[in-house]
Amino acid sequence: MATTNELQIIRSNPFNDGLGAFRRLFEVTRVDLGIAVPSGAVQAVFSTAVTTVAKNLVLDLILALQSQPAARILPSRTSRGTLLGDLSAYVTLIDSNNFDIKSAIPLVERVVNNAPDLEIWSAVVDLVALTSPKQLTPPTAFEKAVFDTPLRSSSASQRGIEQTHDEVDQRILEELTGRVYYDVGEFFERYFEGKVWTNNAKATYENSRHQYAEGRWSGWPEPSAQGSFFEWFMKFQDTVLSGLDRRYYTSANKVLRGSEADRKLDI
């Protein structure tokens, strides 16, 4: 199902006669093959035509779709790019020995029968999703660490003079290994589109994005020691996060028992 944003893209970039040349080509092919009845013509053409002719028909359709402005804007359902990239990958599949010509029939039928634009793009999405390699689990940001025995690491175990960057960073890396993912498909649609918190999330984003430039937050303390960071964060909260019905506070700066270092700031 298309999202609200995708529906707007499709409405703003109609096919018009962008697929007219393909429809005329298909009609010529149908007549040349002696298929008289238009009803069920796509099934008949694909069953009668030699493989090369059928493949060329599908290829011509995909190339026509690639030239459409919407294809260059609609998001990919299989990667982080656009639908144009998915169609390009599909062209490679057509040229391979693994191409199943029957998989393209639903899309060709909608185009030949002048289906609404939304139905055609839905068929395109279904087709590339059906023929794309399945990635059951998003890739992890860190490769799975290999240990001699099972390990559930915690950076909280670091105390005293061993609390150096090298030691702590390694513990944090172990905590993140296998638990952090990237390139998660449809993350925004699932968690931020059409939710009760959508407007608040957008407002917070708009308030905060002007505070971030050239890879840094405005006013970020240097060095970012505990006290200076806490002062910066409280100001950030008062300005950017002021619209939220909640507030962050810090715990007391206690000393960890058995540690030579002060407790880290808890927020």
Side-chain angles (χ1 to χ4, degrees):
M1 181 179 293
T3 65
T4 303
N5 184 51
E6 290 169 346
L7 288 173
Q8 183 59 42
I9 292 172
I10 292 171
R11 293 192 188 104
S12 301
N13 298 274
F15 283 119
N16 294 324
D17 193 42
L19 301 179
F22 171 78
R23 293 188 180 100
R24 291 188 287 274
L25 174 63
F26 180 87
E27 183 63 14
V28 170
T29 303
R30 180 185 70 80
V31 173
D32 288 346
L33 292 173
I35 299 172
V37 183
S39 178
V42 175
Q43 290 275 1
V45 166
F46 276 53
S47 299
T48 306
V50 296
T51 302
T52 303
V53 172
K55 275 191 172 185
N56 284 337
L57 274 175
V58 177
L59 181 59
D60 286 334
L61 174 56
I62 298 302
L63 293 177
L65 289 167
Q66 283 183 304
S67 68
Q68 299 303 306
R72 306 172 190 186
I73 307 173
L74 288 168
S76 166
R77 294 300 177 90
T78 61
S79 68
R80 302 182 68 177
T82 64
L83 199 55
L84 179 64
D86 293 340
L87 291 171
S88 297
Y90 191 72
V91 169
T92 303
L93 178 63
I94 294 174
D95 195 42
S96 71
N97 294 326
N98 298 322
F99 179 59
D100 179 10
I101 195 72
K102 294 180 181 178
S103 64
I105 289 178
L107 171 60
V108 177
E109 285 181 332
R110 294 189 187 187
V111 173
V112 170
N113 294 328
N114 284 288
D117 290 7
L118 177 58
E119 291 186 17
I120 293 176
W121 284 120
S122 294
V124 171
V125 170
D126 291 343
L127 180 61
V128 297
L130 178 67
T131 55
S132 297
K134 301 298 185 297
Q135 181 172 285
L136 299 180
T137 304
T140 58
F142 305 96
E143 292 296 329
K144 193 72 175 176
V146 178
F147 303 102
D148 292 335
T149 56
L151 171 65
R152 180 70 176 182
S153 177
S154 173
S155 57
S157 63
Q158 296 296 111
R159 292 184 176 183
I161 58 175
E162 64 176 328
Q163 289 177 316
T164 64
H165 274 297
D166 290 341
E167 293 282 350
V168 174
D169 288 351
Q170 177 61 27
R171 289 291 181 267
I172 293 175
L173 178 61
E174 290 168 1
E175 287 187 47
L176 297 178
T177 297
R179 302 181 181 94
V180 178
Y181 300 89
Y182 67 93
D183 199 18
V184 180
E186 300 183 39
F187 181 86
F188 178 84
E189 289 79 1
R190 175 168 293 185
Y191 295 105
F192 290 98
E193 189 166 273
K195 309 297 183 183
V196 295
W197 56 81
T198 297
N199 291 336
N200 285 340
K202 287 182 177 179
T204 301
Y205 167 72
E206 290 298 330
N207 288 337
S208 64
R209 69 189 186 95
H210 301 296
Q211 303 280 339
Y212 191 81
E214 299 181 357
R216 292 183 60 83
W217 287 103
S218 175
W220 183 268
E222 286 292 349
S224 51
Q226 173 177 305
S228 56
F229 165 76
F230 179 60
E231 182 180 356
W232 174 86
F233 184 79
M234 290 299 105
K235 291 179 180 178
F236 181 84
Q237 177 173 239
D238 291 338
T239 55
V240 177
L241 306 180
S242 58
L244 301 180
D245 58 353
R246 57 189 58 84
R247 186 174 179 83
Y248 295 97
Y249 295 92
T250 178
S251 60
N253 195 25
K254 299 177 181 178
V255 176
L256 286 175
R257 182 177 300 175
S259 171
E260 297 177 5
D262 288 341
R263 181 176 182 175
K264 293 180 182 178
L265 181 68
D266 287 336
I267 293 180

